[in-house]
Amino acid sequence: MKTINFLLDSANIPTELREIAEKVISGKRIDYQEGITLFEKGELNFLGILADFVKNKFHGKNVYFNQNIHLEVTNICRYKCVFCSFSRSYRDLDSWEMSEEEILERVKNFQHSQITEIHITGGVSAKYSLDFWCNLLPKIKNLLPQIHLKAFSAVELFEMFLNAQLSIYQGLTRLKNSGLDSIPGGGAEIFNEKIRKEICSEKIDAEKWLEIHETAHQIGILSNATMLYGHIENYEHRIEHLEKLRNLQDLSQGFLAFIPLKYRSKNNSLSEKVGEVSIIEDMKNYAISRIYLDNFPHLKGYWAMSGKEAAKTSLHFGVDDLDGTLQNSTKIYSMAGVEFENQKVEMSVLELKKMILDDGFIPVERNSLYQKIEK
Ligand code: V47
Ligand code: SF4
């Protein structure tokens, strides 16, 4: 509160920013135009203080983390999103496609570990049908009975249900009955129709993405949401994206976390046209997301995308959750040029805790529903 009063007392804040800050402090919602003003005129320090205030209201000094792995079952994908460095065709020597046996073998390796969540995704490929997963999810749960399965982006789900000729409701119900616990936030990219057509023309549109998440929430499957930013979109597009998510959350209350994903520019077809935005832009984007999404409980910093240093800094800009130990299980971002120590995408519990503690926060190990894991 001291810092926030100091902020308001400061003589050189423009009136429109002061009014926004007063609204946020008194728990009022800011609107579309005010969101744009924050992007255009909000300085980093101002945004950090305001986002930290919002985060504090939700979680105090707590910062959550989890022990998890990703299972990227295939990088073969028949879509051609221009920002993607991950996707390959059957002919590519570095493509992979895991069989049922290989997936179970991988899962078995974690039987004696402390992981609480497996995040399953992959390219869009007919091989991984609804039947394939309804047969396999129970086998995974059999090997790891306590595991939370957060699986399949809305884009993958749409393809699965289309091929199975089932409605979204029917398909999700089958998956839920087979062991699906929640849905990750991928495939949202940027909702604006024009930009979406330019960067991922084959993907379902915003309305379908939102419908899939809304239906999931109705049947008790919680989910996350992402936003891919820092490519060809502008601030209006980002606020439009946040606005659509905030509206759905008002209705359905089923989103757990929002995860901003910065466009990483290596090895994809957008690389020649677009570079990467600065870390200052990343922090502003975290802060404004935290301020705007007043009904999202969590703002997740995905360190495999941002890098560790930026993840640490993001804790001062509204982020309350660091995902996760990862155990060297994801390739999406190393393929897009993010570099990791010893080429390994992993953080120990000790390292995560230290990162959080060093910046003055309290590390809290969580499960996928953000319940504290007592040790
Ligand atoms: O939808 C692909 C993004 C997403 C690039 O829900 C890229 O907990 C940046 O959704 N630069 C998939 N981003 C990852 C994802 C995710 C990750 C971590 C946690 C959760 C969660 C969800 O990755 C895609 C796309 O937006 N992506 N290529 C790239 N070059
Ligand atoms: Fe395929 Fe997903 Fe890459 Fe698009 S982002 S090309 S859907 S793997």
Side-chain angles (χ1 to χ4, degrees):
M1 208 60 194
K2 241 193 219 154
T3 345
I4 216 83
N5 287 335
F6 175 73
L7 177 79
L8 290 180
D9 288 345
S10 154
N12 44 16
I13 303 181
T15 315
E16 53 190 333
L17 289 180
R18 180 185 301 278
E19 282 170 7
I20 295 176
E22 281 167 357
K23 248 181 152 178
V24 173
I25 293 163
S26 61
K28 292 201 187 97
R29 176 167 277 189
I30 65 164
D31 65 22
Y32 177 89
Q33 196 46 52
E34 289 165 332
I36 306 284
T37 302
L38 287 181
F39 267 121
E40 285 175 348
K41 305 202 172 142
E43 282 182 359
L44 194 59
N45 189 36
F46 169 86
L47 292 171
I49 292 173
L50 211 53
D52 196 51
F53 173 84
V54 177
K55 173 196 159 180
N56 241 292
K57 246 174 59 176
F58 274 104
H59 309 291
K61 286 277 172 200
N62 286 353
V63 171
Y64 303 90
F65 69 93
N66 66 345
Q67 299 200 49
N68 61 343
I69 61 161
H70 284 221
L71 203 56
E72 290 164 352
V73 292
T74 184
N75 64 349
I76 295 173
C77 182
R78 54 186 188 75
Y79 287 10
K80 301 220 160 6
C81 306
V82 296
F83 55 79
C84 179
S85 320
F86 175 77
S87 126
R88 296 289 184 274
S89 87
Y90 286 96
R91 289 180 296 278
D92 289 318
L93 293 177
D94 57 350
S95 66
W96 71 82
E97 195 175 53
M98 293 172 81
S99 65
E100 173 176 329
E101 292 68 35
E102 284 168 327
I103 293 172
L104 291 173
E105 232 9 80
R106 178 79 57 88
V107 169
K108 265 189 205 153
N109 292 337
F110 293 92
Q111 273 186 311
H112 302 290
S113 79
Q114 306 267 315
I115 62 161
T116 55
E117 175 183 283
I118 304 182
H119 174 148
I120 308 175
T121 45
V124 176
S125 147
K127 176 182 163 93
Y128 299 94
S129 64
L130 184 64
D131 281 342
F132 178 92
W133 287 115
C134 288
N135 174 46
L136 192 54
L137 295 186
K139 294 184 186 169
I140 297 178
K141 284 259 165 105
N142 206 21
L143 290 173
L144 291 175
Q146 306 303 327
I147 208 75
H148 178 107
L149 294 180
K150 178 180 69 166
F152 319 124
S153 73
V155 173
E156 293 162 77
L157 290 169
F158 176 78
E159 284 279 335
M160 255 186 240
F161 303 160
L162 190 72
N163 292 336
Q165 299 189 327
L166 291 180
S167 69
I168 296 169
Y169 178 87
Q170 290 167 325
L172 282 171
T173 305
R174 273 197 67 196
L175 283 171
K176 185 175 189 230
N177 293 337
S178 308
L180 176 73
D181 295 302
S182 68
I183 298 177
E189 319 314 355
I190 199 88
F191 288 148
N192 178 268
E193 208 181 317
K194 184 170 162 285
I195 304 295
R196 203 169 174 83
K197 283 216 172 88
E198 285 187 47
I199 64 168
C200 53
S201 57
E202 294 136 309
K203 273 190 176 153
I204 48 172
D205 63 13
E207 277 59 48
K208 194 54 85 186
W209 190 98
L210 292 162
E211 185 189 343
I212 291 172
H213 282 257
E214 183 176 5
T215 313
H217 300 168
Q218 279 162 359
I219 61 177
I221 302 174
L222 299 177
S223 70
N224 292 336
T226 57
M227 172 173 77
L228 181 72
Y229 71 95
H231 41 89
I232 57 167
E233 91 293 355
N234 62 30
Y235 293 148
E236 277 85 3
H237 302 133
R238 290 194 209 171
I239 295 291
E240 176 188 340
H241 192 94
L242 299 181
E243 174 75 19
K244 287 199 155 92
L245 290 174
R246 193 170 74 175
N247 288 342
L248 176 54
Q249 179 74 332
D250 274 345
L251 278 178
S252 67
Q253 299 292 319
F255 287 116
L256 285 166
F258 177 64
I259 310 138
L261 296 171
K262 170 199 181 115
Y263 165 64
R264 307 306 309 233
S265 70
K266 297 268 160 48
N267 311 319
N268 56 63
S269 54
L270 199 56
S271 308
E272 276 175 26
K273 275 207 257 169
V274 183
E276 290 181 359
V277 294
S278 70
I279 185 161
I280 292 181
E281 187 61 30
D282 296 330
M283 297 307 135
K284 286 174 78 171
N285 190 70
Y286 279 122
I288 296 167
S289 302
R290 181 58 290 176
I291 295 164
Y292 206 84
L293 293 177
D294 58 358
N295 54 4
F296 269 62
H298 299 282
L299 180 65
K300 184 188 282 197
Y302 187 47
W303 66 264
M305 172 280 299
S306 64
K308 291 181 188 175
E309 271 311 306
K312 194 168 152 68
T313 310
S314 73
L315 301 180
H316 300 278
F317 292 87
V319 167
D320 67 273
D321 180 33
L322 292 179
D323 175 344
T325 51
L326 294 174
Q327 335 264 20
N328 204 26
S329 60
T330 173
K331 292 203 171 136
I332 297 185
Y333 286 98
S334 39
M335 290 166 88
V338 184
E339 289 177 4
F340 303 95
E341 279 159 50
N342 315 319
Q343 316 299 334
K344 287 201 162 172
V345 193
E346 62 190 4
M347 273 180 97
S348 67
V349 170
L350 222 60
E351 197 182 352
L352 274 161
K353 279 187 171 168
K354 184 171 174 346
M355 183 189 256
I356 296 166
L357 277 169
D358 280 356
D359 273 43
F361 298 99
I362 304 164
V364 178
E365 184 173 348
R366 64 162 178 92
N367 66 17
S368 304
L369 302 176
Y370 290 84
Q371 290 154 335
K372 181 176 179 176
I373 295 179
E374 306 282 356
K375 294 262 159 153

